[in-house]
Amino acid sequence: LYLAAAGIGKMGLVDFDIVDQSNLQRQVIHGESTVGKLKVDSAKNRLADINSDVEVDTYNIRLSSDNAMEIFKEYDIIVDGTDNFPTRYLANDAAVLLGKPYIYGCILRFEGQASVFYSKKGPCYRCLYPEPPPPGLVPSCAEGGVLGILPGIIGLIQATEVVKIILGKGDTLVGRLMLFDALGMKFREMKLRKDKDCPICGENPTIKELIDYEQFCGIPSAAEEEEESAKWEISAKEVKQKLDRTDNFTLVDVREPSEYEICRIDGSVLIPLGKIEEMNPQNLNGISKNDQLILHCKAGVRSLKAAKALKKMGFENVKSMAGGIEEWSESIDPTVPRY
């Protein structure tokens, strides 16, 4: 979850993802009742339940070089809860260009880091990490795993820094990197110095505007990812045509059982995403690797993940229904309830 905070009583949430069952052991602002819903909506509702006086703006979009400056300019403090390098460099650079503090947090397995990068008073993120690691060298939380308690510990440290900056009290983590080892239950601290040769906050900066951060980090851009996703997808109308022709394929619903009870497409087989991601063909209810499979979820995100997981297991004929059962209800069968 990416947060931008402005003063007391107002905050902005930026996230384009939906709540997944796998998020719940570490993203406690969500719950089982919000699986399949937009993360920004789930978080906003939970925050309103805690304190309805807090004004929460939501941005259900992918943060990018095209929109970061426009979004950030409305806020005083940028709080980073992301898990990828392009967004970290993007958030840092936008914060430097706007002269705002960037509160950094990072977690993996049993370890976490936190700092405040504020170029007006100390180093920025690029002063610490001038270049990103090679693609694939550092696993994401999904790939490497994370102790569920750890995000809460690092997140509370970040929240404490927000309050201190707002109140103008105490010693912030500007110029210091805090390292936490959960297994050893130890905190360590590294002193950070401003790099005079930093390309964005140094004496002779070369970065005057936001750049292409996916290219900088050597990973596919959002447009390339969308193009790749299109190769995996089939439209709801095409699925309807196949059903009408009684084509030989299996329609697999990868949502949770509670969602399946609310609404379903006739003839679909329920195999939740979590079971598929266990990479155990025995969980697939007798489905063969030679079968033609079309997967669907609520909006198309989980089914795309499931399709790629099945591909790794050796299933060749797999497609994801774009837009999920939401699109089915919208364009094929309006009697299917929406939730």
Side-chain angles (χ1 to χ4, degrees):
L1 190 65
Y2 195 93
L3 304 178
I8 297 175
K10 180 179 178 181
M11 65 168 51
L13 309 177
V14 186
D15 203 313
F16 66 94
D17 203 0
I18 62 171
V19 180
D20 186 82
Q21 190 80 23
S22 64
N23 302 145
L24 302 184
Q25 59 51 276
R26 64 190 184 278
Q27 297 179 17
V28 295
I29 198 168
H30 310 300
E32 289 187 353
S33 64
T34 62
V35 168
K37 295 183 179 180
L38 294 174
K39 284 187 175 180
V40 289
D41 290 344
S42 170
K44 180 176 181 177
N45 291 338
R46 177 59 182 146
L47 290 168
D49 192 39
I50 295 171
N51 185 350
S52 59
D53 289 330
V54 176
E55 179 184 347
V56 180
D57 299 324
T58 60
Y59 303 88
N60 179 38
I61 54 176
R62 182 192 294 267
L63 192 70
S64 71
S65 300
D66 296 327
N67 58 36
M69 297 291 281
E70 187 67 22
I71 294 173
F72 285 6
K73 73 178 184 180
E74 301 296 324
Y75 303 93
D76 299 321
I77 305 169
I78 313 305
V79 187
D80 179 7
T82 60
D83 64 353
N84 64 87
F85 288 101
T87 309
R88 288 172 189 157
Y89 282 98
L90 166 61
N92 173 79
D93 290 2
V96 171
L97 294 174
L98 290 169
K100 300 177 186 291
Y102 162 57
I103 301 183
Y104 161 76
C106 176
I107 55 173
L108 183 63
R109 298 191 177 110
F110 297 96
E111 299 179 348
Q113 302 178 358
S115 187
V116 176
F117 296 111
Y118 192 13
S119 59
K120 287 184 176 180
K121 298 184 178 181
C124 77
Y125 181 73
R126 283 182 182 268
C127 294
L128 176 62
Y129 299 115
E131 299 286 339
L137 181 63
V138 179
S140 67
C141 290
E143 296 167 332
V146 63
L147 178 66
I149 302 163
L150 188 61
I153 295 171
I154 300 301
L156 285 173
I157 292 172
Q158 291 178 279
T160 303
E161 295 302 294
V162 171
V163 174
K164 286 156 59 179
I165 291 172
I166 291 173
L167 298 178
K169 291 184 176 294
D171 296 324
T172 69
L173 286 174
V174 171
R176 296 183 289 153
L177 179 68
M178 180 173 288
L179 307 170
F180 175 60
D181 173 9
L183 288 181
M185 196 51 70
K186 295 178 180 179
F187 284 93
R188 294 186 296 118
E189 182 179 296
M190 289 176 54
K191 296 293 184 182
L192 305 178
R193 293 183 179 180
K194 196 175 184 73
D195 181 2
K196 64 181 180 61
D197 297 320
C198 177
I200 192 163
C201 77
E203 295 176 358
N204 298 293
T206 57
I207 298 175
K208 306 293 178 122
E209 59 184 21
L210 300 182
I211 62 174
D212 185 332
Y213 293 88
E214 283 80 12
Q215 184 183 59
F216 173 65
C217 293
I219 65 173
S221 65
E224 290 171 330
E225 287 183 347
E226 290 178 6
E227 183 178 348
E228 175 65 20
S229 295
K231 298 176 183 178
W232 294 84
E233 292 181 328
I234 184 172
S235 70
K237 290 183 179 179
E238 290 176 291
V239 175
K240 179 64 166 61
Q241 291 170 356
K242 282 180 169 290
L243 289 171
D244 291 343
R245 293 195 303 261
T246 65
D247 288 0
N248 186 24
F249 74 97
T250 302
L251 183 62
V252 180
D253 189 330
V254 304
R255 297 175 300 157
E256 295 301 310
S258 59
E259 297 175 275
Y260 192 73
E261 289 299 319
I262 297 172
C263 60
R264 70 190 72 173
I265 299 174
D266 290 341
S268 61
V269 177
L270 177 65
I271 309 178
L273 172 62
K275 286 190 174 182
I276 292 175
E277 288 185 325
E278 289 175 1
M279 298 298 180
N280 183 356
Q282 301 303 318
N283 289 327
L284 302 184
N285 298 347
I287 292 175
S288 166
K289 291 183 179 180
N290 296 321
D291 293 345
Q292 182 179 356
L293 306 179
I294 297 177
L295 316 179
H296 86 81
C297 59
K298 181 180 181 182
V301 177
R302 283 174 282 175
S303 58
L304 193 58
K305 289 181 181 178
K308 293 180 179 180
L310 287 170
K311 181 73 172 179
K312 290 181 179 179
M313 294 169 61
F315 287 79
E316 296 295 333
N317 301 314
V318 185
K319 288 284 187 178
S320 167
M321 188 172 79
I325 202 166
E326 287 276 327
E327 178 61 27
W328 185 269
S329 177
E330 178 74 22
S331 62
I332 305 298
D333 185 1
T335 65
V336 173
R338 304 181 72 175
Y339 63 98

